[in-house]
Amino acid sequence: MSCNPYMPVPAILEKVIQETSNIKTFLVRPAKPLVFKAGQFVELTVPGTGEAPFTPSSSPAESEKIELTIMRVGKVTEKLHALKPGAELAVRGPLGQPYPLAKYHGKEILIVGGGVGLAPLRALLFALLEEVDKYKKIIVRYGARTPADIVYRKAVEESWGRKDLDVMITVDKSDADWKGNEGVVTTILGPKKLTCNPGEGVAVVCGPPIMMKFATLEILKLGYAPENIYLSMEKNMSCGIGKCGHCRLGPYYACKDGPVFTYDRVKNLNKIWD
Ligand SMILES: Cc1cc2nc3c(=O)[nH]c(=O)nc-3n(C[C@H](O)[C@H](O)[C@H](O)COP(=O)(O)OP(=O)(O)OC[C@H]3O[C@@H](n4cnc5c(N)ncnc54)[C@H](O)[C@@H]3O)c2cc1C
Ligand code: FES
């Protein structure tokens, strides 16, 4: 990061991949390498429009360029989605706390994602697969609204065949070609669709707030301990460095103390799923 934490580094947009109708992956090359750990985020500036926080979806092993998978929802993201390769951007980070991978060693990892929430989990998956022998088992359960809303579809489908991954995808509403599960993500977290060992495992959840809430309740029902459930709390942010108070979460600042929190730290706070 630069000496002034508010000063972004210039970056060039190199490539844009259309993932779904409203989600694109942006390959961004910062002027200086950006070394991050899975779960950390960056503030991306669209000159003339503003900046917004996003978690890199690419491998943390790659620092020359990062990928950001971004859903179009408002001012900054609308502008971003209209940009073409070669556009000038700026990036500030890495910010926040990563997933504590050393604590996951020797354990079974259950990754549960919904919608664009698969973006930070993809960076985590890359990091886990770099040292796959250190983990007992890696399970991925992902939910999208329809087959057309599945991000990284080709990669996700290819991963179904991997021996070191147990991947299952569900869609809320299927189409004629869909051969997988139909139903919200909790329908693939029950014992019929998931063989896991909650006593020896950690669960990592990221997605829209409503999905995070019901997935977490299901994961608790399976027997995972609250201190072993890791949530990505994507609160509205501004400074990203614990100064402005925008991202207040009880006694925490989501930007500085998070965005990754274990459920036991946040479960008694007000409005955690808003
Ligand atoms: C740590 C962190 C990591 C994130 N990672 C990603 C990511 O990898 N990919 C991705 O697509 N999005 C991610 N987000 C959400 C992303 O930051 C917001 O979608 C973005 O700030 C919206 O900016 P905008 O100017 O386009 O929308 P705005 O014009 O600001 O708002 C449009 C709508 O989005 C809502 N909104 C604004 N900011 C947020 C926010 N931070 N979280 C939830 N809703 C918000 C507003 O309430 C409003 O309804 C992340 C957020 C955080 C805090
Ligand atoms: S975004 Fe400013 S304190 Fe967290």
Side-chain angles (χ1 to χ4, degrees):
M1 215 198 301
S2 75
C3 299
N4 176 350
Y6 293 102
M7 183 63 81
V9 169
I12 293 291
L13 176 59
E14 286 208 337
K15 191 174 172 188
V16 181
I17 301 162
Q18 185 89 42
E19 301 282 358
T20 71
S21 62
N22 63 352
I23 299 175
K24 289 181 177 178
T25 294
F26 299 86
L27 199 151
V28 174
R29 184 179 291 274
K32 284 195 278 188
L34 197 152
V35 180
F36 72 97
K37 293 190 174 144
Q40 287 187 297
F41 67 100
V42 298
E43 287 280 351
L44 182 70
T45 300
V46 180
T49 305
E51 67 172 5
F54 303 102
T55 310
S57 56
S58 46
S59 169
E62 172 65 80
S63 58
E64 299 288 326
K65 52 184 170 37
I66 56 168
E67 285 174 38
L68 302 158
T69 302
I70 296 177
M71 185 158 79
R72 194 180 65 235
V73 293
K75 201 166 61 111
V76 172
T77 51
E78 285 275 1
K79 190 69 197 283
L80 253 175
H81 271 243
L83 294 179
K84 300 267 179 295
E88 289 178 8
L89 298 167
V91 67
R92 187 158 74 81
L95 304 167
Q97 305 303 319
Y99 294 107
L101 291 194
K103 284 194 183 167
Y104 298 180
H105 289 166
K107 297 190 172 162
E108 215 181 74
I109 321 294
L110 169 64
I111 294 177
V112 182
V116 77
L118 196 59
L121 299 177
R122 181 181 181 233
L124 172 66
L125 204 48
F126 279 126
L128 295 175
L129 292 174
E130 281 271 313
E131 42 175 29
V132 68
D133 295 343
K134 292 204 170 135
Y135 307 99
K136 213 168 240 172
K137 186 172 169 189
I138 302 173
I139 307 165
V140 181
R141 294 290 179 267
Y142 174 60
R145 275 187 307 143
T146 70
D149 292 305
I150 297 172
V151 290
Y152 322 122
R153 180 146 187 192
K154 193 160 170 284
V156 165
E157 284 177 354
E158 279 167 11
S159 69
W160 283 352
R162 274 186 77 130
K163 288 211 173 59
D164 47 4
L165 279 185
D166 166 1
V167 180
M168 193 176 281
I169 301 171
T170 186
V171 294
D172 298 354
K173 197 170 179 332
S174 64
D175 60 19
D177 296 329
W178 181 249
K179 295 193 176 52
N181 190 78
E182 185 176 28
V184 293
V185 79
T186 47
T187 63
I188 50 172
L189 291 177
K192 283 193 186 142
K193 306 277 182 185
L194 178 64
T195 307
C196 62
N197 201 338
E200 293 180 12
V202 301
V204 184
V205 187
C206 188
I210 188 80
M211 170 264 158
M212 298 251 292
K213 176 179 175 177
F214 288 106
T216 301
L217 295 176
E218 201 64 35
I219 289 165
L220 286 165
K221 245 197 265 169
L222 288 171
Y224 284 83
E227 62 273 25
N228 288 333
I229 301 175
Y230 291 79
L231 307 173
S232 191
M233 306 300 290
E234 297 189 351
K235 295 281 149 197
N236 277 317
M237 290 183 184
S238 181
C239 71
I241 53 171
K243 301 285 184 204
C244 72
H246 264 76
C247 64
R248 202 76 196 242
L249 188 63
Y252 308 116
Y253 289 133
C255 65
K256 184 167 69 80
D257 305 311
V260 175
F261 288 92
T262 49
Y263 181 59
D264 63 320
R265 293 175 75 200
V266 297
K267 65 179 183 178
N268 294 324
L269 304 179
N270 279 335
K271 299 184 175 176
I272 60 166
W273 308 116
D274 285 0

